[in-house]
Amino acid sequence: MIQIADISDVREEKVENDEYIPIDVRWRTNERAFGRILYWRTGDFRKSLCEMGISEVDGSIVSFTLTLVDKGNVEFTGYPDIITPPIEGCPRFKTDGLFNENGYFDDKNDIKVGVSSDSLRIFFEKLPIASCVRNGRIMFGLTERKSLAMIEVSKMNKAEYERLLLAFD
């Protein structure tokens, strides 16, 4: 599983979704500063796939896309609140030794998704969330070892929620 190295300042993000791509998040910044983009991909690679773009230069997140989810792993019942107060900032990820020569790290995993009327959570780990990093509408839940356990998109409006329903139909 991918781990957080440190936390940078909050950066503006753009959240999009439609009936084909449930969630696509881009972080705005000087694209040239990223150098090559590395891609962490997780899911079962048949019915589920998430992809995160990470700067090779400093490990900062560039993008996150939930491309595909096994409908059997989506719950619309909500989920418990996270009690840990979030740290404001944007995560930087460890990249040393993880990515192949083509810039990919494929991390086969069982993705679970929880949907409420105003947010979406994507779970990558079954371990408890020990800390959180919040950057605008996006919250990153971390395990005790700083592995990425969850990503949450919050403050979803009615139109975004309805597009999620179409994507998961």
Side-chain angles (χ1 to χ4, degrees):
M1 190 55 60
I2 196 152
Q3 293 184 310
I4 297 242
D6 65 4
I7 300 167
S8 68
D9 293 337
V10 171
R11 295 194 348 243
E12 180 185 353
E13 84 271 345
K14 182 178 181 184
V15 178
E16 295 181 342
N17 75 331
D18 61 36
E19 64 269 19
Y20 304 108
I21 304 293
I23 291 292
D24 185 41
V25 184
R26 305 279 172 198
W27 278 264
R28 295 180 189 262
T29 192
N30 180 356
E31 298 275 330
R32 291 182 205 147
F34 288 131
R36 183 169 79 145
I37 305 298
L38 305 172
Y39 293 96
W40 171 70
R41 301 184 297 194
T42 190
D44 68 8
F45 298 95
R46 290 181 300 114
K47 295 180 183 178
S48 62
L49 178 65
C50 286
E51 179 180 88
M52 186 163 45
I54 300 168
S55 166
E56 183 178 45
V57 172
D58 66 359
S60 61
I61 188 166
V62 177
S63 63
F64 175 79
T65 305
L66 175 62
T67 304
L68 185 62
V69 178
D70 181 354
K71 291 167 183 43
N73 288 343
V74 178
E75 291 188 24
F76 291 93
T77 57
Y79 33 77
D81 287 334
I82 296 173
I83 298 170
T84 305
I87 299 165
E88 294 295 320
C90 197
R92 289 187 181 166
F93 294 90
K94 292 182 181 180
T95 60
D96 294 342
L98 288 179
F99 296 86
N100 66 25
E101 63 278 353
N102 296 322
Y104 291 93
F105 172 38
D106 290 340
D107 192 5
K108 195 168 182 180
N109 194 7
D110 191 27
I111 299 170
K112 303 279 186 212
V113 174
V115 179
S116 72
S117 62
D118 67 348
S119 63
L120 165 96
R121 282 189 186 165
I122 305 156
F123 297 95
F124 307 109
E125 290 262 358
K126 293 177 184 169
L127 296 172
I129 294 171
S131 62
C132 296
V133 177
R134 177 175 295 284
N135 185 94
R137 293 176 55 190
I138 312 300
M139 185 164 61
F140 302 86
L142 310 174
T143 67
E144 201 171 274
R145 292 183 163 191
K146 303 289 185 209
S147 292
L148 183 63
M150 178 221 49
I151 292 180
E152 176 183 279
V153 180
S154 61
K155 299 178 185 171
M156 295 182 73
N157 60 40
K158 185 176 180 179
E160 289 173 322
Y161 177 72
E162 288 173 358
R163 286 190 297 265
L164 268 182
L165 294 179
L166 289 172
F168 295 142
D169 188 24

